Amino acid sequence: MSLLSSRRPAFLVAAACAFLVPVVTVAARAQQPAFSFETVKQQAADLAAAAYKAPAEALPKGAENLDYDQFRQIRFKRDRTIWRGEGLGFELQVLPTGWLYKVPVEINLVEDGQARALEADTGYFDLGALSGKLAPDVRMGFSGFRLMAPMNRPDVFDEVIVFQGASYFRALSRGQSYGLSARGLALNIGEPSGEEFPFFRRFWIEKPKPEARTTVVYALLDSPSVTGAYKITVTPGAPTRTDIEMTLYPRKEIANVGIAPLTSMYLFDSLNRTRVSDFRSAVHDSDGLSIHNGLGEQLWRPLNNPKRLQTSHFLDQNPRGFGLIQRARTAAHFQDLEAVYERRPSAWVEPRQAWGPGMVELFELPTEEEIHDNIVAFWHPKAPLAAGKAHSFSYGLAWSDDSPSMAGLRVVGSRSGLANGPQRKNGTIQFAIDFSGLGLAHVAAPGEALPTAKVEASAGGVSTPTVERNAITGGYRVAFTLDPKGAPFSELRLVMMANTKPVSETWLYRWTSE
């Protein structure tokens, strides 16, 4: 399996993903039939009917062996920005090939129903380490693009979304800094034969209307197993939203497929830092998986950095939403003056249709460095995708600060460590889980009885939990111990109760002896 990827703290490179910038001129072309999403679907269907043909690498002589730092020196020339000065709500810059990005993608602009290709032109870049080393007639291809809009100030175009590498894309909301990414599709994650990485080989970007609040990106996906047509509507703001319609055309039956995959990084936090020696209090782009399942139950699963690959399956039918969430929102939580982890986006997936039976899958890989993405979550349909048929999915993806508000208590902190006293010798673990949120007002006013906590463990023994008010958070703290009794792992489940009814989201965690 190949999920780990090199990257820098604010610069994602997951499995052939990076970021930088370029832009291009529009090539004149004869009048063609009007472009629409049906155009992309037809191209995807035609592509699926033929044998897969891997794209060729195409790097100009002199740019074949760029390293990370050399590639980052290539800068897009601001004055060549597409749509700059046209009074539109968006600007567009394209990204160069090089380093990990050896296969160029096609980029088209759509205006008044007509699609026109952007011609590669090295003149759109300040070349940095390549300056003077390329032949004058060399044209660098494109590895992707970024869209910008005035999110934080009306007079400044901020980066909103980037598409680059395989089918990866990532976006920002107002006040955020880059962290986790989304993908168009995940295939064969966890398979011994290795993961298959579908890629967006062709894009169409609609020129927005004056002062438009949204624009649309279309993409053609390809891989040995499947092709796909994507329509991605981008709406910047707080939060930025990407509404996705996709139709897949499998070349063969696909059983291990991930819909709406999210990729993130988790190194450590107060729940699991036994293997960590670090001056910081926590390091992660996301700290939990949130699920709103088809039964209406809200689940919170803190993330982990295990010694061995861990896979978790959350069976469901017609999920209401799920996402990788960053709930830690203060600089004091991380004590990192450069990485600004407290400003990393969360990503919340909300199906626009009934997805039927399946499961949310969570993959947690071991990592020793924060430059690697080691967390993946997605929806895995129960039924395989049959070959020769079209399979459509639609969902909203919000790049928010948290999962949507709920009428009840939510987890705001999870801590663990060896218990004190005689229990310490037995390897007993002490847990402290903090809850806060909208449920406080109707659960227990001052002087009234506190809610109770229900704790269950799949192995070992848990103590009777205690509940007390937490003056620091303004909520409640639940404390309990787990005696593993020799078990290598135990699945823990905790929910707060009032009058025999749940009044919180359900906290889930897999404790392991390693």
Side-chain angles (χ1 to χ4, degrees):
M1 180 170 78
S2 176
L3 286 176
L4 295 182
S5 54
S6 297
R7 70 173 190 143
R8 301 297 167 91
F11 182 88
L12 178 64
V13 181
C17 213
F19 110 57
L20 233 30
V21 239
V23 177
V24 270
T25 54
V26 177
R29 184 181 288 183
Q31 188 79 3
Q32 297 181 355
F35 173 87
S36 70
F37 190 26
E38 295 304 315
T39 306
V40 189
K41 291 180 181 179
Q42 187 60 57
Q43 290 192 20
D46 293 344
L47 198 61
Y52 173 72
K53 184 178 180 180
E57 296 183 0
L59 292 178
K61 187 175 181 180
E64 308 95 325
N65 300 309
L66 293 180
D67 62 22
Y68 172 86
D69 293 313
Q70 291 171 326
F71 183 70
R72 288 206 69 187
Q73 291 178 40
I74 303 174
R75 300 290 179 180
F76 181 77
K77 293 179 180 178
R78 176 66 176 164
D79 61 351
R80 303 298 298 272
T81 301
I82 296 173
W83 306 328
R84 187 183 186 195
E86 295 189 31
L88 306 180
F90 293 86
E91 293 182 349
L92 171 66
Q93 297 180 345
V94 293
L95 309 174
T97 51
W99 187 42
L100 297 178
Y101 311 102
K102 304 180 186 300
V103 177
V105 300
E106 297 178 31
I107 297 179
N108 302 270
L109 295 184
V110 178
E111 184 175 1
D112 297 329
Q114 295 298 309
R116 294 175 179 161
L118 295 178
E119 287 187 350
D121 186 344
T122 306
Y124 291 97
F125 307 95
D126 288 322
L127 296 180
L130 288 179
S131 182
K133 297 181 180 180
L134 300 181
D137 59 343
V138 162
R139 294 191 174 191
M140 297 185 71
F142 306 130
S143 61
F145 64 92
R146 67 177 179 178
L147 284 165
M148 298 168 293
M151 282 201 303
N152 298 293
R153 286 175 44 181
D155 58 336
V156 176
F157 280 75
D158 300 302
E159 198 162 315
V160 174
I161 190 167
V162 172
F163 291 81
Q164 189 177 38
S167 66
Y168 284 87
F169 60 97
R170 54 182 180 151
L172 292 172
S173 294
R174 192 172 301 146
Q176 292 179 343
S177 178
Y178 275 128
L180 86 171
S181 292
R183 294 196 240 172
L185 194 67
L187 292 177
N188 299 331
I189 291 186
E191 293 291 337
S193 58
E195 182 176 351
E196 181 177 323
F197 284 94
F199 67 100
F200 289 138
R201 66 186 307 154
R202 188 173 300 147
F203 293 96
W204 298 261
I205 307 161
E206 281 191 356
K207 183 176 183 178
K209 302 297 182 183
E211 307 302 327
R213 297 176 59 86
T214 66
T215 193
V216 180
V217 174
Y218 302 89
L220 177 67
L221 179 131
D222 195 13
S223 81
S225 300
V226 65
T227 69
Y230 287 71
K231 179 182 179 181
I232 304 170
T233 302
V234 181
T235 307
T240 289
R241 300 183 182 276
T242 46
D243 293 294
I244 299 168
E245 300 175 47
M246 54 185 280
T247 301
L248 302 175
Y249 302 86
R251 287 188 168 98
K252 60 182 181 180
E253 182 177 275
I254 306 173
N256 192 344
V257 59
I259 304 300
L262 306 173
T263 301
S264 192
M265 180 277 294
Y266 179 92
L267 193 63
F268 69 90
D269 204 330
S270 52
L271 186 60
N272 40 37
R273 54 176 301 138
T274 56
R275 295 186 283 120
V276 174
S277 178
D278 197 298
F279 74 92
R280 296 166 294 183
S281 306
V283 174
H284 49 74
D285 286 340
S286 308
D287 52 13
L289 169 66
S290 178
I291 300 174
H292 189 184
N293 66 25
L295 296 176
E297 185 180 18
Q298 300 264 1
L299 308 177
W300 176 255
R301 166 60 156 77
L303 298 177
N304 196 8
N305 179 9
K307 283 189 175 181
R308 295 184 177 88
L309 167 66
Q310 289 190 166
T311 306
S312 300
H313 309 277
F314 303 89
L315 298 177
D316 200 1
Q317 181 156 329
N318 299 326
R320 303 183 187 184
F322 69 91
L324 291 176
I325 307 299
Q326 181 80 311
R327 282 193 175 166
R329 289 295 170 188
T330 64
H333 184 87
F334 297 97
Q335 294 295 321
D336 190 317
L337 301 182
E338 297 180 359
V340 293
Y341 287 114
E342 67 276 8
R343 291 171 52 194
R344 302 296 169 98
S346 299
W348 181 254
V349 174
E350 193 169 273
R352 302 297 193 210
Q353 65 197 108
W355 280 3
M359 57 186 160
V360 175
E361 285 199 79
L362 172 66
F363 284 78
E364 297 166 302
L365 285 80
T367 184
E368 299 298 327
E369 299 179 281
E370 63 203 272
I371 61 174
H372 300 302
D373 284 314
N374 63 320
I375 304 295
V376 179
F378 53 81
W379 173 253
H380 184 160
K382 181 179 180 180
L385 302 187
K389 295 182 179 180
H391 304 267
S392 295
F393 299 86
S394 62
Y395 59 96
L397 176 54
W399 302 82
S400 53
D401 286 339
D402 203 340
S403 50
S405 299
M406 56 174 284
L409 298 165
R410 62 171 54 196
V411 178
V412 295
S414 301
R415 295 169 174 80
S416 72
L418 285 173
N420 294 321
Q423 290 181 311
R424 192 178 188 91
K425 296 181 180 180
N426 298 331
T428 297
I429 310 299
Q430 175 78 49
F431 288 89
I433 315 302
D434 291 320
F435 289 84
S436 188
L438 301 178
L440 287 170
H442 65 264
V443 170
E448 295 181 347
L450 297 177
T452 60
K454 181 180 179 181
V455 180
E456 299 172 292
S458 66
V462 291
S463 66
T464 301
T466 62
V467 179
E468 59 182 326
R469 286 190 172 86
N470 185 336
I472 299 173
T473 65
Y476 300 112
R477 171 165 291 182
V478 179
F480 67 94
T481 60
L482 167 70
D483 181 354
K485 298 182 179 180
F489 70 91
S490 182
E491 299 283 357
L492 303 175
R493 181 182 180 92
L494 163 64
V495 63
M496 297 196 70
M497 310 287 291
N499 300 321
T500 71
K501 294 182 178 180
V503 291
S504 74
E505 62 185 0
T506 300
W507 179 87
L508 306 171
Y509 189 66
R510 177 183 294 160
W511 173 85
T512 63
S513 59
E514 295 183 333

